[in-house]
Amino acid sequence: MLQITIGDLQTIMRQCAGEAEDALPLDQAPDSPFDELGYDSLALLETYSRIERDFGIELNEDEIGLVNTAGDLVEFVNSLLQLKVMSAA
């Protein structure tokens, strides 16, 4: 089954945010808010767009607004991917 991991998210965010020197690795603090890790809102928007494109899902703005950490984002994206697989079956 297709899913995203913290490592996948780290790769995508690094590509979208550039190699921000002050950004902490997501796997070291998966429950810390993105802004505390050094990722700004532009990097997050680019990350969301990339996830939508790469995984073929749509991230609802209202729901994604409730996602504040890498762990939350991975869980949210994986739930959408699971729904996508279930609806295709």
Side-chain angles (χ1 to χ4, degrees):
M1 176 165 80
L2 183 63
Q3 61 180 343
I4 190 171
T5 65
I6 292 286
D8 297 331
L9 182 58
Q10 177 72 54
T11 300
I12 292 168
M13 290 194 78
R14 287 284 180 177
Q15 291 170 348
C16 291
E19 294 296 323
E21 293 177 21
D22 58 342
L24 297 173
L26 299 178
D27 59 350
Q28 290 183 9
D31 297 323
S32 295
F34 289 115
D35 59 345
E36 288 182 13
L37 297 175
Y39 295 99
D40 62 18
S41 58
L42 180 59
L44 287 173
L45 288 174
E46 290 181 26
T47 298
Y48 300 151
S49 293
R50 172 91 181 269
I51 289 171
E52 287 179 325
R53 185 180 68 243
D54 289 358
F55 291 92
I57 57 174
E58 185 175 331
L59 302 175
N60 179 297
E61 286 183 36
D62 293 332
E63 293 174 329
I64 203 71
L66 302 174
V67 173
N68 296 314
T69 69
D72 290 342
L73 183 56
V74 165
E75 186 177 314
F76 179 65
V77 169
N78 284 335
S79 69
L80 292 176
L81 290 171
Q82 184 176 14
L83 287 173
K84 180 180 175 181
V85 168
M86 289 172 53
S87 67

